Amino acid sequence: MRLYLAALFVAGTLAAQPPMELVKSHFLGVWKLVSYESKGPSGEVTKPYGDKPQGRLAYENDGHFSLQIMRPGARFRLITRTSLPAETSKEDFAEAWFGSWDIDPDSETVLHQIDDSVQPAQIGTSFSRSYNFWNNRMILTANAPGRVTRAVWQHDLN
């Protein structure tokens, strides 16, 4: 009898939880970057952060997130609003920002509102990514005119 009541309680609790909250729960935690590729209009694939990019993406339950991505061994330089050093190469760049996030389960997209970034032009902007979950991995895809970017993240359980 107790087992039956416990099963009813669990079933009732799951049924009462909104679908959006169930979907959001898949995002929570820290994710480790596995791969990052960008495909251009002619089909060429580039890896702007190299073959073994490094990165972390953290989604918090209170609606905040943070992201850092860089090429392994890169010499990261903080770029000011006024100048870009002439000797700066693409390998010197990194992505780092934080802000708030929410999802649209109907369109299967996650929306990121950037509160602050190492790239000043990104501050106050927002971007959305299509999401897909597979085992302990999350795939975020951006479709921009003429370019598709795909980042694969693995849930970092350590």
Side-chain angles (χ1 to χ4, degrees):
M1 182 67 173
R2 286 184 188 164
L3 183 59
Y4 177 74
L5 290 175
L8 281 177
F9 174 77
V10 169
T13 303
L14 290 177
Q17 191 172 19
M20 182 177 223
E21 293 306 312
L22 285 173
V23 174
K24 268 186 142 176
S25 70
H26 291 303
F27 284 87
L28 299 179
V30 178
W31 299 83
K32 178 181 177 181
L33 186 61
V34 174
S35 67
Y36 189 102
E37 296 180 346
S38 184
K39 187 174 182 179
S42 62
E44 80 282 359
V45 175
T46 59
K47 297 179 180 182
Y49 301 104
D51 289 328
K52 295 182 180 179
Q54 295 179 339
R56 292 288 186 276
L57 173 58
Y59 288 105
E60 299 175 27
N61 196 33
D62 67 357
H64 291 94
F65 82 99
S66 63
L67 173 136
Q68 303 84 34
I69 301 176
M70 69 184 308
R71 177 185 292 267
R75 303 163 311 178
F76 178 72
R77 299 176 191 209
L78 184 60
I79 300 167
T80 67
R81 294 175 192 254
T82 57
S83 66
L84 178 63
E87 70 276 6
T88 302
S89 70
K90 186 171 179 108
E91 287 76 27
D92 292 330
F93 291 111
E95 300 284 337
W97 57 69
F98 64 87
S100 57
W101 69 283
D102 206 351
I103 60 163
D104 180 353
D106 295 331
S107 65
E108 295 183 345
T109 58
V110 57
L111 178 67
H112 301 90
Q113 176 67 38
I114 300 175
D115 294 339
D116 212 345
S117 171
V118 294
Q119 297 182 27
Q122 293 178 330
I123 298 170
T125 64
S126 62
F127 63 90
S128 67
R129 299 287 185 260
S130 298
Y131 63 81
N132 190 3
F133 293 96
W134 179 66
N135 288 335
N136 66 338
R137 294 198 171 186
M138 173 176 64
I139 302 166
L140 298 180
T141 306
N143 291 305
R147 183 156 299 281
V148 175
T149 303
R150 182 174 178 255
V152 178
W153 300 89
Q154 181 171 315
H155 215 262
D156 192 1
L157 302 174
N158 294 330

